[in-house]
Amino acid sequence: MQRKPVMPDYESYCRDESRLGGTAREIAFPENARQLAEVLAAAAKEKLKVTVQGARTGLAGGAVPEGGLIISTQNMNAILGLRQEAGVYYLRVQGGVTLEDVHAFLRRPKPGDNWTDEAKSLCEEMGSGQRFTPNPTETTATMGGLFASNAKGTNSLGYGGVGSYVNSLLWADAGGSLREITRGEYVFDQKGCTLPGGSYMTVADTPKGGLPLLYPVQGMDLVDLLAGSEGRAGIIAELELRLEPEPAESWGIVYFFDTDAAALGFAAELANWRVQEENTAMLSAVEYYDGATLEMVRRERENMAALKTMAELPTAAGAALYVVLQGEDPETLELALGEHLELFEAAGGRDEDSWAAMGSAEMEVFDTLRHGVPEMINVQVDALRLECGAIHKTATDFEGPGQRGAEYCEMYHRDIAGSGVEGFVFGHILENRLHVNLLPRNEAEQQTCHQMMQDWARRVLEDGGLIAGESGVGRLRLPLYGEIIPESRKKQLSETLRILDPEGCFSGDWEAVL
Amino acid sequence: MRILVCVKQVPDTTEIRIDPETHSMIRTGVPSVLNIFDRYAMEVALRLREQAGEGHITVLSMGPAQAEAVLRECLALGADAAYLATDRAFGGADTLATSYVLAQAIRVIGDFDLVLCGKQAIDGDTAQVGPEIAQHLGWPQVTNAAELTLQGDEYLAKRETDDGYEMLLLPPPGVVTVTKPPFEPRYPSVKGKLAAKRAEIHILSTENLPLDTAKAGLKGSPTRVRRTYTPAVKTGGVKVEGLPPRESVAGLLEFLQEKVPGEA
């Protein structure tokens, strides 16, 4: 397996969407599990630091190298096969297959030339109508990367993260050994679990301390432990994805409100509505956009091709909620919609200030809005960095206690208003996983933002929340919040990493913080 | 004010596939959408009604039963009534036969001040149906209207031309075909969508639509589509780059002279 010098031809591989930059000596592009194992084994022999990369769409700098060797999975992009068990379809893919590739395949399933005859005929039998349920916004991300960050999308409220929909992995450890890990084979009991390869890992006996990753608990499957391990414990060569039938009917509604308070009031009513057992399964997403975000959309949409054709936002709109209902019975969904409409109007909403879409094709424009908002912010950050190099992307990924989303939202708004820095709050309001994006315009404002983030992180930790809810810890967040993460948690994480990566091949840069 | 909007269901352009054996467009299994120019026409109708403070909007389509979906989309946006002209006898129609059936339907449905059509359907791209409807009805027409507003009892159209715009006053009744306006069409509201799901779609066929069947469908179509195909991608050629303009032009000229002696 050939390794190539990074400079000059592969310099762009030293960066990802976090806007952090790094360095590396060499890069390799394995095309299959065997080549991946070879390059890892060679790197281990030479004691090289390794950074694994998928599509480099991560926001936390997880793919940014700090010396050593980059292993890019971009050429491991084959869809390998299909099987069925107990009526459920499972799709096997290499780690470099993107979510976009999976969607395209499921829209028009076509077997690969190298598939078995059984898989080919199963593919024809399956037809379209299956989906990979989690919907992370960045569809150009690789499945390996999405598993490694346990990515979540707008429908995480209803369906959780990518990890839950992975049935098995072909895992390459730091030494280059390949291991097939299937759900149910390695489960932590009250003490721990013997891992493939023979080492033993005990369950964590410390508080989670704000970090979601590598936190083994009783009942946890090894697949779920590795989900969100951010390329720090090994590399995913292949994954088996669990598919589900598309729901019979989907509704996507954008509700516009005159004020943030009205929007948050409606969100609280939706949370109460959702608690009723018959309603829980139907509500798969509730996304919040604050007034500042809507104002930015009005201002910037002309500069974004995907949003130029979107209708104008209602003039009086000062906040919005995007709600997705899905289910098998159209009448039940319509009843639910009627109930939501009553709640909406009771919160001061007007029907003419709602946008309704039925089915994934119509709902696409609302998904595009959700994707477009962080992109708009990135464009503005890039422009500001040209004027002041000290500025960098400043965004939170905190997840506070689920039922306190409105309270956290008010805290963010209060502090942003007091700081004088421009900021936007949007995201998963019922999970209290809001993305607060700040736009400092100079070094002094960047410092102010840094302090605000630290204060918020402390609040999140005090309340038992997470400092990295969906986009990973990476190289950005551990140094940023290292001082406030409890020592016991750092010790537990360090020990866990030592079991999975004894030589510190993948996790070397965290040593300074842990 | 009574407005009728003609709409068509067309294949979603991102999903166009050509059958490699018949060279025809594959429509089976391809998602269908409301023709974008008809969506603009619908938005223009809604804005006229808002400007007038009153008005009735009817939508009409000719097509198979599945075209009901685009009529419901228009009802969800605010249309008051919807009609689908559907019959085996209407199948295979070219623009002349289509416009004949639509014009007959318009006469039967009611008295209208204004008929709006999208400039063209993005599958056929002929831009003929709107003007032909006007001709069948004997009404004046304005094509390529980027904007349309009420001015007193007449309609003021801002018509897009190759050189710019013309401002035209159209007394009712008339036909206007609509091109892309300077605003984006709205989305339906929740109540609009729910009401549209339950609304009645009035069906027009040879049983209740007086017409000469010899002028409808394939029988009434003087033109035929022989083949639909994607043009072959041209390969070859040369790219001149990295040189100052004078040298680039000289290089291109030399290439052309070699390829087409005596012509360049």
Side-chain angles (χ1 to χ4, degrees), chain B residues 140 142 149-157 166-172:
Chain B
V142 173
T149 53
L150 273 173
Q151 193 166 83
D153 293 334
E154 295 177 309
Y155 298 100
L156 178 65
E166 292 173 339
M167 301 303 294
L168 300 169
L169 268 177
L170 177 71

Side-chain angles (χ1 to χ4, degrees), chain A residues 170-203:
Chain A
L170 184 59
W171 182 262
D173 69 17
S177 297
L178 289 169
R179 306 191 197 283
E180 186 76 26
I181 301 170
T182 302
R183 197 170 275 283
E185 275 185 341
Y186 302 94
V187 181
F188 284 81
D189 60 25
Q190 64 192 39
K191 288 198 179 127
C193 178
T194 303
L195 307 180
S199 55
Y200 188 81
M201 185 182 290
T202 55
V203 295

Side-chain angles (χ1 to χ4, degrees), chain A residues 108 249 253 308-311 334 341 345 351 354-356 362 365, chain B residues 15 17 73 184-194 197-198:
Chain A
R108 249 183 238 120
E249 196 149 295
I253 318 290
K308 267 175 96 157
T309 55
M310 191 180 71
E334 283 180 35
L341 202 50
E345 289 176 335
D351 178 60
S354 67
W355 290 352
E362 287 185 14
V365 68
Chain B
E15 300 277 345
R17 288 176 297 142
E73 203 176 320
E184 295 303 326
R186 69 195 67 188
Y187 302 117
S189 71
V190 175
K191 282 184 181 168
K193 267 302 233 201
L194 286 172
K197 277 193 100 183
R198 288 165 178 58

Side-chain angles (χ1 to χ4, degrees), chain A residues 99-143:
Chain A
L99 183 56
E100 223 167 44
D101 294 335
V102 170
H103 287 163
F105 171 80
L106 292 174
R107 268 198 300 273
R108 249 183 238 120
K110 195 177 158 212
D113 293 333
N114 297 334
W115 286 23
T116 63
D117 288 341
E118 193 187 337
K120 283 178 181 173
S121 87
L122 195 59
C123 187
E124 201 178 308
E125 182 192 300
M126 180 180 81
S128 60
Q130 294 285 315
R131 68 171 181 172
F132 181 68
T133 301
N135 66 349
T137 325
E138 189 53 75
T139 56
T140 60
T142 62
M143 294 313 302

Side-chain angles (χ1 to χ4, degrees), chain B residues 30-165:
Chain B
V30 174
S32 296
V33 295
L34 175 62
N35 180 43
I36 184 64
F37 289 104
D38 299 340
R39 196 154 172 249
Y40 298 145
M42 186 65 211
E43 180 64 28
V44 166
L46 291 166
R47 288 184 182 229
L48 281 170
R49 184 169 67 184
E50 282 161 2
Q51 186 192 0
E54 57 81 26
H56 188 278
I57 300 172
T58 301
V59 284
L60 167 66
S61 187
M62 188 186 92
Q66 72 193 52
E68 197 179 289
V70 297
L71 291 170
R72 293 199 185 279
E73 203 176 320
C74 294
L75 287 167
L77 288 166
D80 299 296
Y83 289 80
L84 176 64
T86 184
D87 196 300
R88 290 171 74 92
F90 301 160
D94 69 359
T95 59
L96 188 66
T98 299
S99 58
Y100 169 71
V101 169
L102 289 172
Q104 289 302 107
I106 290 167
R107 286 194 178 100
V108 159
I109 293 170
D111 294 324
F112 294 99
D113 307 303
L114 180 67
V115 168
L116 292 173
C117 304
K119 171 174 87 162
Q120 63 200 61
I122 53 97
D123 54 356
D125 274 336
T126 63
Q128 291 171 359
V129 169
E132 286 173 350
I133 288 174
Q135 197 65 16
H136 284 301
L137 294 173
W139 289 3
Q141 58 177 281
V142 173
T143 56
N144 278 7
E147 289 177 42
L148 189 69
T149 53
L150 273 173
Q151 193 166 83
D153 293 334
E154 295 177 309
Y155 298 100
L156 178 65
K158 184 176 181 183
R159 180 172 183 263
E160 201 175 79
T161 70
D162 288 339
D163 307 311
Y165 294 96

